Amino acid sequence: MNSSKVLEVILAISAKIDEEKQFLTQLDNVIGDGDHGINMARGFKAFETKIPAVEGKDIGTILKTVGMTLVSTVGGSAGPLYGTAFMKAGMANAGKEEIDLAGFVETLGVAIEGVKMRGKATKGEKTMLDAMIPAYDAMKAAVESGMDAKTTLDIGVGAALEGVEYTKTIIATKGRASYVGERSIGHQDPGATSFTNMLEVIAASV
Amino acid sequence: MVGIVIVSHSEKLAEGVVDVTKIMADGCPIAAAGGLEPGVYGTSFEKIMEAVESVHGEDGTLILMDMGSAVMTTEMVLEMLCYDDVKMVDCPIVEGAIAATIAAVGGADLDACYEAAVSAKDMNKL
């Protein structure tokens, strides 16, 4: 995948988040502060205005700009979390014009480390990590066993969706949802859901 | 004098905390970084950065945050600014701000203001 295709995929992610913003916000209304979808959509829309500045640039610059824009415009925790994820992903791809499947999975691993560091979070706390980590583990195994991009990404989406289902069964111990405590059981995590939305778009693009 | 920054999801809350500190510590360089944009709750990277720059002097700056993105966004601002004399403090935001600003106008250094803010955690109300 070259840098113009990466930009195309990010625009498709932006469109998907815009489509899903009511649902994501609804999820967040139940267990959080009800702003996830609207905030994420605002962040990606703000990136769209920066396209002229990043068109033709390397993948690292594009991803880093997405990260910086999300940090500046999202306003909720998703800003610094996804912002850090995209900025770390950008650093891992600095100067690169192409990214292959193994590079993508490796980049996701770097992004996950960024989210863990920023959120001081780990798996099992009802956060976006509960979709990200299983998706990463499944895709890493798929790449290592020689599967192609389409199959690998579909496996990743499957694992992320399972992760979202898993978030329904656990109590939130991180973020605003932790105030809701036991009442968070039965509800899926908005961050895990929005990550899965993004991965679905990436999977559909290969 | 040590500068103080109040970061909150709410513009009104951040400004309100700043107002309350004026009662006992008028003269402390203190700035509010509340809300994302007018009428929108959230935390703003730009507002936090501007607030720090507006109060930061040779004695350093102490930042008090409410929660969640206020904490994480402040961390990112500090990583960007690379000042070694700006500290975030984990404390109740109103009581901590009052304690820290009183310490600051009394001539306390950054570490002493930090300790004053932290000590607000142990102040019993009942």
Side-chain angles (χ1 to χ4, degrees):
Chain A
M1 192 180 278
N2 63 22
S3 59
S4 67
K5 179 75 181 174
V6 168
L7 196 52
E8 209 178 284
V9 171
I10 290 165
L11 291 181
I13 287 174
S14 177
K16 174 78 173 175
I17 294 292
D18 195 60
E19 257 172 60
E20 298 291 329
K21 71 180 172 195
Q22 298 303 341
F23 179 60
L24 291 170
T25 291
Q26 218 177 315
L27 294 177
D28 197 25
N29 261 327
V30 185
I31 58 169
D33 51 358
D35 60 5
H36 188 63
I38 289 161
N39 282 353
M40 290 290 287
R42 177 174 50 232
F44 277 102
K45 278 281 163 268
F47 173 74
E48 289 185 14
T49 67
K50 296 186 180 172
I51 289 170
V54 296
E55 240 167 358
K57 296 275 172 64
D58 65 286
I59 293 170
T61 304
I62 294 169
L63 296 177
K64 208 175 147 198
T65 307
V66 173
M68 295 291 295
T69 309
L70 296 181
V71 173
S72 296
T73 56
V74 169
S77 293
L81 292 169
Y82 277 123
T84 301
F86 275 98
M87 283 162 74
K88 295 275 179 197
M91 282 180 231
N93 289 279
K96 291 188 186 163
E97 302 290 341
E98 287 277 340
I99 184 166
D100 62 6
L101 179 66
F104 168 72
V105 174
E106 210 173 292
T107 297
L108 178 60
V110 172
I112 289 170
E113 288 311 309
V115 171
K116 283 182 175 173
M117 179 271 292
R118 183 66 61 209
K120 297 176 184 71
T122 181
K123 214 168 123 177
E125 295 176 324
K126 201 178 181 101
T127 72
M128 60 175 74
L129 288 172
D130 292 315
M132 291 177 104
I133 295 172
Y136 169 75
D137 289 344
M139 289 193 288
K140 193 165 182 279
V143 168
E144 281 164 6
S145 64
M147 289 186 188
D148 65 15
K150 182 77 196 146
T151 313
T152 301
L153 283 159
D154 286 345
I155 287 171
V157 168
L161 285 168
E162 275 176 34
V164 169
E165 287 302 308
Y166 167 67
T167 63
K168 290 182 184 173
T169 68
I170 54 176
I171 297 179
T173 54
K174 270 276 162 357
R176 199 72 68 90
S178 61
Y179 290 93
V180 185
E182 278 188 13
R183 280 191 289 135
S184 68
I185 289 183
H187 303 287
Q188 73 195 62
D189 179 64
T193 309
S194 60
F195 168 75
T196 306
N197 291 153
M198 292 185 202
L199 195 59
E200 281 168 341
V201 171
I202 298 168
S205 75
V206 296
Chain B
M1 199 183 298
V2 173
I4 311 283
V5 171
I6 307 296
V7 183
S8 169
H9 283 66
S10 155
E11 191 172 2
K12 281 186 184 169
L13 178 64
E15 284 171 1
V17 172
V18 168
D19 280 347
V20 164
T21 66
K22 305 278 185 201
I23 301 168
M24 287 183 73
D26 202 12
C28 176
I30 179 166
L36 183 64
E37 46 194 63
V40 180
Y41 291 104
T43 50
S44 157
F45 186 90
E46 278 78 18
K47 278 191 186 180
I48 299 168
M49 186 170 276
E50 282 167 19
V52 172
E53 295 287 20
S54 75
V55 299
H56 189 66
E58 59 186 19
D59 294 321
T61 300
L62 191 64
I63 310 180
L64 287 72
M65 310 73 56
D66 58 9
M67 62 181 95
S69 66
V71 179
M72 292 188 281
T73 309
T74 302
E75 276 174 4
M76 296 191 82
V77 168
L78 297 195
E79 284 163 20
M80 179 81 80
L81 288 174
C82 294
Y83 290 149
D84 55 8
D85 55 353
V86 178
K87 279 175 105 163
M88 296 166 69
V89 56
D90 182 0
C91 67
I93 196 160
V94 178
E95 294 85 343
I98 291 171
T101 51
I102 291 172
V105 294
D109 66 7
L110 182 60
D111 287 340
C113 290
Y114 177 93
E115 290 305 327
V118 169
S119 71
K121 272 187 180 180
D122 302 322
M123 281 195 318
N124 295 324
K125 294 181 195 182
L126 293 174

